[in-house]
Structures are given as structure tokens and as C-alpha cells.
Amino acid sequence: MPEAYIIDAVRTPRGVGKPGKGALSHLHPQHLAATVLKALMDRNNLDTATVDDIIWSTSSQFGKQAGDLGRMSALAAGYDITASGTTLDRFCGGGITSVNLACASVMSGMEDCVIAGGTEMMSYTAAYGAEQANAGIKPMGMGSGNMVLDALHPQSHQGVCGDAIASIEGISREALDALALVSQQRADKAIKEGRFNKSVVPVLNEDGSVALDREEFPRPETTAEGLAALKPSFAGLADFDLGGTSFRKQINRRYPDVEIQHFHHAGNSSGVVDGAAAVLVVSPAYAEKHGLKPRARIVSYANQGDDPTLMLNAPVPAAKKVLAKAGLTKDDIDVWEINEAFAVVAEKFIRDLELDREKVNINGGAMALGHPIGATGSILIGTALDELERSGGRYGLVTMCAAGGMAPAIIIERI
């Protein structure tokens, strides 16, 4: 069976995901995806007629983000018309899944050059959601969309789930805020030291001027006192009337003894941002033929489901599963990237696996840098690879929670 090599990984800087306020919010989602696809093409002198497929991730596939963003963005980037493309949705986990599927395609021997990645314009989805609300249409997750509130697996809002998990696990607000502060501090250090420079490519406006060439979301001025002063974000939402039920009631139907306390707020939850990322995955034969130097090989990948009611707990079993597939232990991993969807996800992950905190989210995470849903997994794979090269580490493990109670995971080895 052939190996699957990662040749390159690129991403946009993350822009604040507020309509009309973020530096990228005026652009089309296709433009962001085309930016990273063109960067891969230019940086690697890639003959796009040899690209077998483009596997893309976008979670909110409606409006401007609908219509197979993978294929249309490749055409917008100037790719050969023979380079096909498809778009998938695994909620937050799609950016890992796109890379995993690219790996599977290459390792099966059916394809030799596949580009994986993702895009999410959260400024656009926010504007779209406001339009829907003004039209009297209930948002997904409140009984009218695809997250059905059924009797067997009642589902809730991710933020309320985060609070519920912290309550169940006995993780304090202080511990969550402390992790959020570390995320900001590490991200600030990484940015100042240029640790993201290898992967980040600027986004240009249609006229060629620079729209954004740096991270827009981080708040390096964050302090412990400032975090402690923030009010919890999900207390009111927990009791939002869903037509005779609420998110709190949905959780308490499955966990009647849990008294949900509210710990998560804007400072210890992932940032709402716009962004895109792309990863070039090829076979050894393709790399040799085209003179491409591999940066990493994909060692193993896994998918894991868990309780959809609590929604956020699958990363730990996913990490154990992908380690077992690779024949590795946690002590073999030099770089861990666990998406900071909410502080409790990363904190529980570290505690449950008894990890060295100095190896986890070394350059900060989504609490500081933001979480462009469908793109984040691909961003984290590139971040892990960059850090392995910077530090001389060998193995990196990337995983993240996803709605529906899922978590994809991947292990890469630096070459």
C-alpha cells in the first residue's frame, strides 16, 4: 500500500467573523478558498492538470457557501478544468476529514495527487442567519433544522454542552479562564516569533490590494482579571423556549442529576472568524516524478462517535483510537493540537489523557485565534506540521470535537 505524503499546507489569516466589520467579511467564500488553492499551485509549481481531486470542507452549505465550493473555488483559482472537486460536511471536524479522505484515496492507489482543505465565512453565515430570523425561520438546532431534538438522542447547543461537561467533570471557571489566558499568551508569542509565517498567505481584494495579511482576532492584552469579569454566554440560551422544551431540559432528560452551571463566555470559547486552508497530499511516486519534497507522511487516521447529547466528548476516544491504529502511545506524540471549541474541551482532553501541557496547543488555539468551522481541521494540521519542523519533533496528533458527538483524528510524522 502506498504512503500518503503531505507536500505543503497553507492557510489564510483569520479575520473577525462579523458582517461588515471583519477584514475578510466583504469577500465571497469562494475567493478565500481560491486564495489558498492558488498559493498551493504557485508555491509548488503544481501542474493542476495532474490533480486528481479536491476534497473540501464547508459546514454551513447554504447561500454563497453552497454549490460545491471545492470545485468552483478551484476554477476560480485558475486550476485546469480536469481537476475535479467535491465538498463535504462533518460540522467542525470537516477540515480533518477532508485530509483523511485525501489520504485514503492516495493510499488506496486510486489517486496520486489530492488537495484537501476547507473554508468557512462565519461573517456570512451570521448575516444569513439574521436574514432567516427576520423571515421567521428558526435556526438549525432549534427543532426545525437537521439537528432533530428526538427522544432517543436529545441534542443541545454546543455552548450549553460545554457548560454541562464542566459541571459534570467538576472543572472550575478559574481553570477554564486560566487555559484561555495561556492560549492568548502562546498565540501572541507565536505571532511575534513568526511561527505561522510559513503557512499563512495574504488575502487580496479583487483590485489586488491587501485585504488581510495578519491574524485579526487575537487579544494579547487579555488578563486573568479581564476574563474573570466576563459574564457567562449561555445561561439565557440554555432556557430558550424550543416549543415546550429547552437545551437545559434536553440535557437533563439524559442526565437528570446534573445541575448545569455556566462557565463559558466570549473569552474562553472559540472565536468567530473567517478563514480557509489547503493541504497537498500525494503518493511517493507522484512526489518523485514531479520533484516535490515531502514534509510529512500521514501515519494513521480515525473517526469516533460519542454521546450526541453532550456533543463535545469524542476527542479523547478518537485520540486513543488513532494512537492504537498507529501502534503508538501518547508518549510518542511531540505536538498535540486539540481544537479549543470551548475551554472545557481542551482542559478535559489534557486531564483525561494526562498530557504534558507544554506539548498541547503550543502556539495557542481557537480561543485566541478563532475557529472557522469547516477550515479549522486543515489549519491545525498545517500548524502541527510547522511546529514539528520548528521544534524537531517527530509525531503530531490533531483532533477536534464536532456537532452530533463526533471527532475525527489524524497522526502525521515529520519527514
Side-chain angles (χ1 to χ4, degrees), residues 12 75 96 109:
T12 67
L75 294 175
I96 294 178

Side-chain angles (χ1 to χ4, degrees), residues 6 50 384:
I6 295 177
T50 66

Side-chain angles (χ1 to χ4, degrees), residues 46 105 130 147 175 180 228 231 257 313 325 350 381:
L46 183 64
S105 181
M147 286 184 173
K231 294 182 179 179
D257 297 330
N313 281 339
K325 285 181 175 291
I350 293 167
I381 291 169

Side-chain angles (χ1 to χ4, degrees), residues 181 184-185 188 192 217-227:
L181 182 59
Q184 292 285 353
Q185 292 170 340
D188 184 46
K192 288 177 177 176
F217 187 79
R219 291 155 290 185
E221 71 281 3
T222 299
T223 63
E225 293 76 17
L227 290 169

Side-chain angles (χ1 to χ4, degrees), residues 146-169:
N146 61 1
M147 286 184 173
V148 179
L149 302 173
D150 63 87
L152 183 60
H153 295 297
Q155 303 202 35
S156 186
H157 183 278
Q158 289 96 326
V160 181
C161 289
D163 286 342
I165 293 168
S167 301
I168 291 169
E169 298 289 333

